[in-house]
Amino acid sequence: MSHGVPIDVARARGETSGCRDLIHFNNAGASLPTDATLRTQIEHLELEARIGGYEAHAQEQGRIDGIYHSIATMLNAAPTEIALSTSNTAAFDLFLYSLPFAAGDRILTTQSEYGANYIAYLHIAEKTGAIVEVVPNNGAGEIDVEALELMADERVKLISINHIPTNGGLVNPAAEVGRIARSHGITYLLDACQSAGQLPLDVEAIGCDALTATGRKFMRGPRGTAFLYVRQPVLETMHPAMVDHDAAHWVDGSTYELKPDAQRFEVWEKGWAGLLGFGNAVDEALGWGLPSIEARVTELADSFRERLIEEVPGALVHDLGIKKCGIVTFSLGDRNLDKLKAELQARRINVSVQPPGSALLDTMARDLPPMIRASVHIFNTHDEIDALISALLATSQPD
Ligand SMILES: Cc1ncc(COP(=O)(O)O)c(C=O)c1O
């Protein structure tokens, strides 16, 4: 991992009003935007209110085009390979449901797969007769690439995995999976919902055909924003599951022509204020440098994991993987975690409690107890980790 230039934490905090009177460890839920990202949205909403929504769109066309360029730069892709969307699930499903599955086709995925993705595979299997198969984990809890290699054959039509699962600090070996997918000519969809914004993502190095991410998590964008990347030669062969009069040109009473680029996966109407805010957040991430963000986030999370084990009686860290990220999941014996979360929130500390159904196969396979998920970003500090550790200790004492 390249470490980049160290993050100027004081600057990051200065640019983020939300972190002034709040300790936010729910960045994997929805992170805090910078003031500039917030302002970008408000200014566009004000422009819409002042001159009209369509007119504001036309006036800001250059900046709107810039959103595609910024996302493409982040991914080492072309702007024409980017479609904007409203959530990771919407983007992911658009690609997935546009693939032509037939009876007996195999879809390979991970044990740690996200609920929405896995239910969509099951739905597709129900409709088409395709078969969903889970690649086992290796000893470190990652997708086992040797097992994947053995499972890959001509009936496998899709390898679809998460880069970072919803319920842990694990980073799956996305590029090794990409090498296998490429060597067998299998379509490869990567859910980068939790890695975008905290790790560098290079679609050439990863070798995926499609990749999705949401705006609100580590990208620090607004809610209701997301993107889908589709490799140009792949998108040219695809007929999206839904097509509107923006995704395609309406030629005559019986004909339409799909757009030549990834915008064939979009619908016309969009929340441009949010998407412009998202574009700003992408530019900010590029400004810091993703290697620098990764180094900061990983260092904070590693230190938090160590301190949990050493200082908090009964804390069990459940993060797997050789390479770990900025998400820390832990249980605390039989403590009521919903109550704990509320107690922490009363102390202005945000964490989330991991619902078992968000990664049900993994919850069942590992017999996971209820877990707290604490996820860090560049504006978090070691003092804030001190405060969380102290609060965990203080709230465990009887009143
Ligand atoms: C791994 C993973 N994939 C997909 C999603 C879904 O993202 P969205 O809510 O934007 O659809 C999540 C959300 O937590 C996630 O953790």
Side-chain angles (χ1 to χ4, degrees):
M1 155 178 139
S2 140
H3 291 275
V5 180
I7 295 286
D8 179 345
V9 180
R11 194 191 116 203
R13 293 182 70 77
E15 293 172 352
T16 310
S17 294
C19 68
R20 279 184 209 142
D21 55 1
L22 176 72
I23 298 182
H24 191 65
F25 286 127
N26 193 12
N27 296 289
S31 188
L32 300 176
T34 62
D35 299 347
T37 292
L38 175 63
R39 248 193 342 270
T40 302
Q41 294 170 76
I42 293 170
E43 280 168 10
H44 192 74
L45 290 173
E46 284 173 349
L47 188 66
E48 288 183 337
R50 238 185 7 260
I51 69 167
Y54 286 24
E55 293 74 11
H57 181 172
Q59 186 170 310
E60 295 299 324
Q61 190 60 57
R63 290 175 66 218
I64 286 172
D65 294 343
I67 306 169
Y68 296 86
H69 279 86
S70 298
I71 296 170
T73 302
M74 179 174 73
L75 300 179
N76 187 23
T80 47
E81 295 176 311
I82 307 300
L84 298 177
S85 188
T86 52
S87 72
N88 192 84
T89 302
F92 186 92
D93 283 355
L94 243 176
F95 182 81
L96 181 69
Y97 280 84
S98 305
L99 293 169
F101 291 106
D105 287 350
R106 300 168 70 204
I107 299 172
L108 303 187
T109 188
T110 57
Q111 178 183 295
S112 59
E113 201 60 4
Y114 186 64
N117 301 357
Y118 197 83
I119 288 174
Y121 309 144
L122 292 180
H123 185 227
I124 283 175
E126 219 169 65
K127 289 199 318 177
T128 65
I131 301 157
V132 186
E133 291 173 57
V134 175
V135 181
N137 284 350
N138 65 16
E142 305 164 333
I143 182 171
D144 184 337
V145 286
E146 284 170 22
L148 174 66
E149 175 74 67
L150 292 174
M151 290 170 82
D153 65 18
E154 69 290 344
R155 287 191 305 130
V156 177
K157 290 291 157 13
L158 179 68
I159 297 172
S160 181
I161 69 160
N162 66 76
H163 200 184
I164 293 178
T166 190
N167 62 337
L170 159 80
V171 182
N172 272 312
E176 288 178 55
V177 171
R179 273 191 287 283
I180 294 169
R182 279 198 167 170
S183 72
H184 291 268
I186 300 169
T187 304
Y188 174 23
L189 168 60
L190 182 65
D191 170 358
C193 189
Q194 302 233 109
S195 52
Q198 67 160 320
L199 302 183
L201 292 173
D202 178 332
V203 291
E204 289 309 318
I206 292 171
C208 55
D209 296 299
L211 178 150
T212 57
T214 207
R216 70 178 187 276
K217 294 185 180 239
F218 289 90
M219 289 302 327
R220 306 183 66 192
R223 298 199 65 172
T225 60
F227 68 82
L228 164 67
Y229 153 82
V230 189
R231 190 176 290 282
Q232 185 67 34
V234 174
L235 75 87
E236 282 168 7
T237 66
M238 289 184 72
H239 210 103
M242 291 172 293
V243 184
D244 79 355
H245 62 308
D246 191 50
H249 168 59
W250 190 5
V251 179
D252 58 35
S254 56
T255 331
Y256 62 86
E257 277 164 13
L258 285 169
K259 274 192 171 159
D261 57 23
Q263 289 186 23
R264 65 174 57 185
F265 288 98
E266 291 188 353
V267 287
W268 182 78
E269 172 60 354
K270 297 182 193 70
W272 287 116
L275 287 166
L276 283 164
F278 183 29
N280 189 73
V282 177
D283 287 340
E284 288 175 344
L286 291 171
W288 288 114
L290 272 308
S292 303
I293 295 176
E294 179 184 14
R296 169 78 185 157
V297 160
T298 310
E299 187 259 318
L300 282 171
D302 284 349
S303 144
F304 182 46
R305 283 189 199 97
E306 271 168 34
R307 294 195 54 190
L308 270 173
I309 295 163
E310 281 166 17
E311 298 174 38
V312 181
L316 260 185
V317 173
H318 295 278
D319 301 321
L320 301 177
I322 297 163
K323 179 177 160 74
K324 292 193 181 62
C325 68
I327 299 175
V328 180
T329 48
F330 60 98
S331 56
L332 287 165
D334 55 7
R335 279 182 75 180
N336 179 329
L337 298 188
D338 288 318
K339 190 159 164 268
L340 173 61
K341 179 183 148 184
E343 284 168 352
L344 293 176
Q345 205 166 357
R347 292 166 186 255
R348 303 198 64 73
I349 301 176
N350 290 347
V351 296
S352 69
V353 177
Q354 201 51 39
S358 59
L360 190 61
L361 296 185
D362 199 39
T363 306
M364 293 189 309
R366 293 163 63 199
D367 196 17
L368 286 172
M371 298 185 295
I372 293 278
R373 183 178 73 175
S375 42
V376 297
H377 216 311
I378 54 170
F379 51 79
N380 289 123
T381 62
H382 288 281
D383 287 350
E384 290 182 330
I385 292 175
D386 283 345
L388 176 52
I389 297 271
S390 303
L392 289 173
L393 293 172
T395 55
S396 69
Q397 306 304 320
D399 296 327

